[in-house]
Amino acid sequence: MALSTTVLAELRGIVGPSHVHDAAGDLVAYARDATPLFSHRPDAVVFPADTAEVAAVLALATRCGVPVVPRGAGSNLCAATVPLRGGIVLVLTRLNAILEVSADELLARVQPGVTSAALADAAAARGLLWVPDPGSRTVATVGGTIATCAGGLRGLKYGVTRNYVLGLEAVLPTGEVIRTGGRLWKDVAGYDLTRLLTGSEGTLAVITEATVALLPAPESTNTGVAYFPTLADAGEAVARVIRAGVVPATLEFLDRACIGAVEDFAHLGLRTDAGALLLFGDDGPPDLVATHLDRIGAACVEAGAVEVTTAREVAQAEALLAARRCALPALSRRGGVTILEDATVPRPRIAEMVDRIDAIAARHGVAIATFGHAGDGNLHPTCVLDSAEDHDAVRRAEAAFADVFAAAIELGGTITGEHGVGAAKLPFLAARLGDDQLALLRRIKTAFDPAGILNPGKLGS
């Protein structure tokens, strides 16, 4: 939909003329996010400076029936910020202040445009830890991390974003400003709207401030790596680690294809003859970390590991972590389009799920490499295509991932563990939730957003 000159004039009056972009060239960059194959150009991009401006924009949009898509850095991988029905992309990166870091209360107050890395650095300067650790943490905003309930490498031991959101300031589509939760770890007054908004992907309200929990920074960390003949052996090692009473801070895996891609890309000295790699690590008092890593290494050997190595210094530990963090860019070098997906199964069924993924890939004639979070069953099957213009290859990849999601559900899992639903997973949401629960989501959406302007075509639509 094209915005009228009246609406554009009102937007410029709210945020200032320089913070409303509607030239064709300016709109292209906001037609998509980090998700491939999804694109739709907005009619305007608006950059508010504070909560009052956000409220005024939303009230205007509701009054005029204009869709609004809240956006941070656009680093999500589920097309959550693609403006499927045009309208306004509301970019929150100007709200980028760290308002408070309290060591006494173990919390921080931040605006949504603060990056996850910036918050982590501010917390670390006070001897504290911001736990959520998405792969795009250097650019991902805290607002986006909360909106998608992002995860990361620390999920097994520490949980995900929702475990660290204490309170929110949010603007409803009609312009009212609400505050949910607060500074307290214990607060059961009323419905838990903080949890409801966490992971709502900008469909219910626009987050303008967050109060988040921090933890004392661990005294030390260390990392190790184990190589296995097969992914099934690595899966057995994970089970043995958990049975041994160790809950590692890091427990990640790469399959054979990922190991080869990472080594070609980063030259880290990985063993490319292995069928699977298990990256493990822990944090805490040095003696306890050493004990835990020894027990993890022993469990890996018992499960059939052909080699187990523990980092001897910080640089080596960082290099091992880099092997996991660079899996996506390493695979992306192999083609023009990289489809990184996200499915989760119960931890004991990881190896079975990867076998299913391999069979699905062969059936559809596509190449899929898989890496992910072995500790919590969250897998990232990744397909690299030569070009988005190869429509047959795109069709086969999409059919393959539909089967992957169906397999995850069949094995007792879910269609997304941390990326979110967005537009990419919406076709599979009914299979995961069922019709009755999906209808409830729509009723909740209507209660928050009676005009249906917030991120239409996504959750609850």
Side-chain angles (χ1 to χ4, degrees):
M1 62 177 297
L3 299 185
S4 69
T5 55
T6 301
V7 170
L8 286 170
E10 288 195 51
L11 288 171
R12 293 186 177 104
I14 294 169
V15 301
S18 64
H19 300 301
V20 177
H21 299 178
D22 65 337
D26 294 334
L27 300 178
V28 170
Y30 295 91
R32 56 167 298 177
D33 51 30
T35 318
L37 308 178
F38 288 86
S39 179
H40 194 286
R41 199 165 72 175
D43 298 290
V45 183
V46 177
F47 298 80
D50 55 33
T51 300
E53 291 185 0
V54 172
V57 170
L58 291 182
L60 170 64
T62 291
R63 173 162 51 86
C64 298
V66 177
V68 177
V69 177
R71 177 183 171 119
S75 58
N76 75 88
L77 292 165
C78 65
T81 53
V82 175
L84 298 177
R85 298 179 187 173
I88 298 166
V89 170
L90 190 69
V91 183
L92 299 163
T93 50
R94 291 179 68 204
L95 284 77
N96 60 2
I98 297 176
L99 303 172
E100 178 185 4
V101 177
S102 172
D104 291 337
E105 295 183 78
L106 294 177
L107 61 79
R109 288 191 307 115
V110 299
Q111 292 183 313
V114 173
T115 66
S116 190
L119 175 55
D121 289 344
R126 302 290 300 275
L128 302 172
L129 176 68
W130 166 238
V131 168
D133 185 37
S136 57
R137 67 198 185 286
T138 57
V139 295
T141 63
V142 173
T145 299
I146 293 171
T148 55
C149 193
L153 272 63
R154 300 185 180 120
L156 172 62
K157 183 172 184 176
Y158 289 107
V160 295
T161 298
R162 66 171 171 261
N163 303 111
Y164 298 91
V165 183
L166 297 175
L168 296 171
E169 177 186 83
V171 184
L172 301 179
T174 43
E176 298 101 326
V177 179
I178 62 171
R179 280 191 171 271
T180 72
R183 304 172 71 92
L184 308 175
W185 283 82
K186 288 184 175 181
D187 184 352
V188 294
Y191 294 138
D192 193 346
L193 297 181
T194 304
R195 278 288 185 100
L196 179 59
L197 293 178
T198 301
S200 62
E201 300 180 13
T203 61
L204 302 180
V206 177
I207 296 166
T208 52
E209 183 183 315
T211 302
V212 297
L214 306 174
L215 297 178
E219 188 177 345
S220 69
T221 64
N222 201 5
T223 305
V225 63
Y227 297 94
F228 297 87
T230 69
L231 192 57
D233 296 325
E236 173 59 23
V238 171
R240 287 175 179 267
V241 167
I242 302 300
R243 286 199 297 267
V246 180
V247 181
T250 303
L251 199 55
E252 303 287 307
F253 78 91
L254 279 71
D255 71 1
R256 184 188 299 275
C258 286
I259 296 170
V262 168
E263 183 58 26
D264 288 345
F265 174 67
H267 308 293
L268 297 171
L270 304 180
R271 286 189 57 158
T272 56
D273 62 336
L277 174 159
L278 192 64
L279 179 73
F280 57 87
D282 204 8
D283 54 23
D287 290 347
L288 182 62
V289 170
T291 298
H292 280 180
L293 262 60
D294 286 345
R295 290 166 68 181
I296 295 171
C300 290
V301 171
E302 292 169 2
V306 296
E307 180 182 337
V308 179
T309 302
T310 301
R312 300 181 185 276
E313 56 188 24
V314 172
Q316 187 181 8
E318 291 177 348
L320 290 175
L321 286 171
R324 167 60 180 84
R325 294 195 186 280
C326 73
L328 177 58
L331 291 167
S332 297
R333 294 173 69 241
R334 299 192 163 188
V337 176
T338 303
I339 306 174
L340 170 63
E341 276 301 352
D342 163 46
T344 304
V345 295
R347 190 166 47 239
R349 309 197 78 168
I350 290 176
E352 182 182 356
M353 182 64 189
V354 174
D355 287 343
R356 296 278 287 270
I357 291 170
D358 290 344
I360 289 167
R363 186 164 68 247
H364 290 280
V366 295
I368 297 179
T370 305
F371 61 95
H373 314 293
D376 53 29
N378 188 201
L379 294 84
H380 296 308
T382 305
C383 181
V384 180
L385 307 177
D386 290 334
S387 168
E389 302 305 314
D390 186 341
H391 300 298
D392 179 63
V394 169
R395 178 192 58 77
R396 286 184 283 111
E398 290 177 337
F401 280 118
D403 287 352
V404 167
F405 300 141
I409 293 171
E410 182 184 335
L411 294 179
T414 185
I415 61 174
T416 176
E418 60 184 5
H419 288 176
V421 176
K425 300 285 184 66
L426 194 61
F428 313 103
L429 191 58
R432 172 65 183 92
L433 300 183
D435 291 340
D436 290 344
Q437 192 173 169
L438 203 57
L440 177 59
L441 261 62
R442 294 191 179 108
R443 294 197 295 273
I444 293 171
K445 164 71 170 174
T446 300
F448 274 81
D449 183 16
I453 63 151
L454 264 187
N455 214 354
K458 312 285 175 55
L459 278 175
S461 299

